[in-house]
DNA sequence: GAATCGCCTCAAACCGCTTTGGGTATGTCA
DNA sequence: TGACATACCCAAAGCGGTTTGAGGCGATTC
């Protein structure tokens, strides 16, 4: 069933039927209702391909995911973000196009997406320092919204980000207030923009209390369970181990917890742990009661908001770049506690390490 | 730059240019080269929207992800599967369409996808018992491939699945061979087809050795860390606790490990654990050496194969349903060991439980 | 020299919709 | 009664490709 058939069946012209269905004012209300009823009855759905060609719009948004040689972007966070964005696209009658491309083809993919007219805009994921995608997209004139920010960009662009610096600053302050003085940072890879900002927040909080950062207490790596385990294990084996750990993700926090426990220590008593919780649907931080104290910000909600921002830019091309900074909330779980107790509990370890381990 | 412009610029008709670029034989090789060179020089890309309308093909594959009220499908496995499938689509010039829809709209979404012509076929995720999507897709005539199988389907359909029954049977046999007699099953939700098959494999292996299954040793739930922890903890607190645990995922295995360790036991010595490992890119089972003994099957590779199967069905609509069963490999890690030792180590617990815990 | 055959190219129809630019009643006003 | 809105509706021209059917042209065959 197509428009022409429906029109003849109704004894109307295709024009009128099209206008009736699309809510144009120059058609009689009675006629409109008749048309809508007939469309429903015959299960008529306008052909998307034809609409797209006729209107010149793609009615689709792209997400380009580079793969392989570089850092993997197909991660748990990504899946939840996509889910949030997808909800919005669906509600607005847009398609979501996922392009999985070898990373050396990324630039060509964006160009093709534009010139072949497959999408009206794109979301840029996982921005890095001086991210080349931003000037590229500006140049080819494809509307875009960045999830995160790209330090070093020269032109203005639309973005939506969590205040990572502030979140980690607050988390660090929280630990300092509990009396912790040696706080380990188990960060993500520090060519990622968010990781840089998190470290800055951590350092700012320490500096505000006049505490000099200890390079041995700052690690950076993949945000996996095993990497978290390794990093925490290494820090706990130091002559002066940390009494608290600040982890960049749920998974690395789980690894850190394992390191703490396998050292015979108790999380929340001997060693405090704070994680960043993206509120992923299948990696919940506890149920009613949170397990980890965490800086929390729903990445799914971020997906929704970024999608809405992008659809707005597409609908109103004139508008300038939009920016939105979300604050993470600090939620208190069972993984943090005062430092005094921790110091005492840990002292045997210190002593052991110091006596047998040479000069500090 | 469009076809017509390129044609006038070359002094040829649009027809010839189109044929030259699409490799039709009726155009002179010299002409073809001239056309291709010009296309490249002017950075000409045919408009996808026009191609789709003209050819009647969507050049796109859909993945419909129901969301919200029912069991969440936006899980780690899904992301990796999508990545694998996406690689194949990209290589074959197809787009991947992700539809995130409220689950009550799922049927309508499939119908719309077909009648609006957005896709040439779909992949069906996470099949359940008597899955209604299979008759639906047959009825509306949209080519599809199921990732997994749907027990109870009356018509034949194309699918690609891991031999879950066989995998869990082998894993159970492996544990039995190590001398374990009380093996706990920490399964996924058992309205999911794969979970049913895994339980069957587990039960088959027990039955083959004449071991009666103990309902207290069989749990079913979400495959999260915390659910795994809870299930394992409950089993370890039984009067006659298991000496081995069979977990349905990496995450629940991690939870089980935590339960084992927080009971003061050592994984691989006191309690053996086997997991199913989907070989996810960001949830690796160790690095060179696997941590967990596991039944392994790459879900990403499954995504690739399913996508290829679907593209095949789309290209050759005549061909009947295709089926492909992948075998999981059993990889030996550090989480399993002989049961004799475990029995001995655990005996104090048994005794304690038995003396203080009533009959049995 | 005419007929035949390949090879190459083209004009035009078509895919299914939107949208422009009228056209035709009907009603209103002077 | 004629002029002029107003309200509806339509024919036709796009959108940018593919594809059908036909024709031009030089070489070959009889």
């Amino acid at each position: 069933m197509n428009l022409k058939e429906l029109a003849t069946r109704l004894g109307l012209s295709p024009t009128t039927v099209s206008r009736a269905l699309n809510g144009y004012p120059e058609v009689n209300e009675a006629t409109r209702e008749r048309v809508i009823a007939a469309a429903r009855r015959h299960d008529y759905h306008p052909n998307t391909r034809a609409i797209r060609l006729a209107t010149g719009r793609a009615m689709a948004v792209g997400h380009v995911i580079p793969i392989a040689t570089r850092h993997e972007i197909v991660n748990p966070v990504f899946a939840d973000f996509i889910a949030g964005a997808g909800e919005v696209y669906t509600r607005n009658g847009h398609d979501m196009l996922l392009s999985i491309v070898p990373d050396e083809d990324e630039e060509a993919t964006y160009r093709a997406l534009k010139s072949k007219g497959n999408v009206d805009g794109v979301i840029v994921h996982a921005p890095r320092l001086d991210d080349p995608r931003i000037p590229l997209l500006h140049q080819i004139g494809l509307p875009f919204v960045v999830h995160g920010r790209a330090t070093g960009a020269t032109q203005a662009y639309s973005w939506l980000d969590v205040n990572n610096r502030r979140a980690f600053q607050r988390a660090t302050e929280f630990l300092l207030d509990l009396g912790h003085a040696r706080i380990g940072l188990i960060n993500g890879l520090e060519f990622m923009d968010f990781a840089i900002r998190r470290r800055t927040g951590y350092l700012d909080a320490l500096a505000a209390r006049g505490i000099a950062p200890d390079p041995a207490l700052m690690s950076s790596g993949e945000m996996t369970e095993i990497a978290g385990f390794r990093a925490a294990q290494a820090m706990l084996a130091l002559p002066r181990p940390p009494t608290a750990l600040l982890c960049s993700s749920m998974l690395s926090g789980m690894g850190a917890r394992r390191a703490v426990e396998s050292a015979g220590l108790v999380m929340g008593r001997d060693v405090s742990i704070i994680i960043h919780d993206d509120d992923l649907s299948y990696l919940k931080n506890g149920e009613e009661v949170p397990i980890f104290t965490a800086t929390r910000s729903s990445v799914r909600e971020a997906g929704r908001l970024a999608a809405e921002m992008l659809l707005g830019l597409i609908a109103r091309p004139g508008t300038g770049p939009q920016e939105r900074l979300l604050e993470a909330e600090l939620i208190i779980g069972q993984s943090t506690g005062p430092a005094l107790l921790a110091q005492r509990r840990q002292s045997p370890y210190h002593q052991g390490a110091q006596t047998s381990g040479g000069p500090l």
Side-chain angles (χ1 to χ4, degrees), chain A:
Chain A
M1 173 63 60
N2 61 21
L3 187 71
K4 204 183 295 181
E5 283 174 46
L6 188 64
T8 43
R9 216 174 281 255
L10 280 163
L12 292 170
S13 78
T15 311
T16 305
V17 175
S18 169
R19 283 184 168 151
L21 293 174
N22 291 315
Y24 280 70
E26 50 273 75
V27 47
N28 189 326
E29 269 313 314
T31 312
R32 188 193 307 282
E33 277 168 29
R34 202 161 61 89
V35 170
I36 288 175
R40 200 189 316 274
R41 186 156 22 98
H42 295 100
D43 196 38
Y44 166 73
H45 293 262
N47 184 302
T48 310
R49 298 192 286 264
I51 292 180
R52 287 177 173 158
L53 181 58
T55 61
R57 288 172 302 156
M59 300 297 287
V61 172
H63 291 244
V64 176
I65 318 299
I67 220 136
T69 52
R70 208 167 49 202
H71 175 61
E72 287 285 357
I73 201 181
V74 182
N75 57 32
V77 172
F78 172 73
D80 246 52
F81 182 90
I82 284 291
E87 289 175 35
V88 174
Y89 300 144
T90 299
R91 270 204 297 279
N92 291 75
H94 282 247
D95 283 342
M96 173 160 68
L97 228 75
L98 228 60
S99 289
I100 312 285
V101 299
D103 55 3
E104 68 269 21
D105 296 350
E106 199 176 355
E107 177 176 339
T109 301
Y110 281 115
R111 292 186 182 281
L113 240 33
K114 167 69 177 183
S115 57
K116 303 203 295 181
N118 295 27
V119 301
D120 296 318
V122 293
I123 296 269
V124 172
H125 293 274
R128 300 178 299 282
L129 193 63
D130 295 320
D131 201 298
R133 290 171 290 182
I134 292 173
L136 172 68
L137 289 168
H138 265 131
Q139 186 209 322
I140 64 183
L142 190 58
F144 67 100
V145 167
V146 179
H147 178 212
R149 278 169 286 176
T151 307
T154 53
Q155 304 165 74
Y157 59 94
S158 294
W159 54 261
L160 177 136
D161 199 4
V162 172
N163 196 339
N164 283 295
R165 190 195 55 69
R166 180 102 191 78
F168 268 46
Q169 184 180 10
R170 280 175 66 195
T172 309
E173 282 166 2
F174 179 79
L175 290 169
L176 291 167
D177 289 343
L178 283 170
H180 297 277
R182 290 189 60 73
I183 301 171
L185 174 67
I186 298 179
N187 205 0
L189 290 163
E190 291 181 351
F191 58 79
M192 301 297 289
D193 197 86
F194 75 90
I196 299 171
R197 291 178 194 272
R198 287 179 182 176
R199 187 182 51 185
T200 305
Y202 163 84
L203 292 173
D204 286 356
L206 291 183
R209 304 283 174 109
I211 298 179
D214 181 347
L217 293 184
M218 296 167 60
S219 76
S220 159
E222 297 276 352
M223 296 189 295
T224 60
E225 203 268 351
I226 200 146
F229 176 76
R230 297 255 168 84
Q233 199 177 39
M235 288 183 191
L236 292 172
L238 289 172
R240 294 175 55 220
T243 63
L245 296 169
L246 193 46
C247 301
S248 227
S249 81
M250 184 80 191
L251 281 175
S252 52
M254 283 164 55
R257 170 173 62 186
R258 186 158 62 92
V260 166
E261 288 171 354
S262 69
L265 304 170
V266 174
M267 175 174 80
R269 193 190 66 184
D270 303 316
V271 179
S272 289
I273 294 184
I274 297 186
I275 63 156
H276 181 75
D277 178 6
D278 288 298
D279 203 19
L280 305 181
S281 35
Y282 48 90
L283 252 187
K284 287 281 176 210
N285 180 13
E287 283 147 0
E288 326 75 45
V289 197
I291 296 173
F292 289 104
T293 294
T295 55
R296 180 163 62 192
S297 174
S298 165
V299 75
R300 187 151 181 171
E301 180 64 14
R304 289 193 198 96
L305 295 171
E308 281 165 6
M309 187 184 283
L310 180 56
L311 293 184
L313 291 176
I314 290 168
R316 293 172 295 281
T319 48
Q322 287 182 224
E323 306 178 343
R324 176 129 183 212
L325 190 57
L326 307 172
E327 292 298 333
E329 59 177 333
L330 185 66
I331 59 167
I332 313 299
Q334 304 153 44
S335 65
T336 45
L340 282 178
L341 188 58
Q343 295 283 14
R344 217 169 23 247
R345 301 257 174 197
Q346 277 199 280
S347 55
Y349 285 80
H350 293 199
Q351 307 251 326
Q354 283 175 15
T355 45
S356 70
L360 191 52

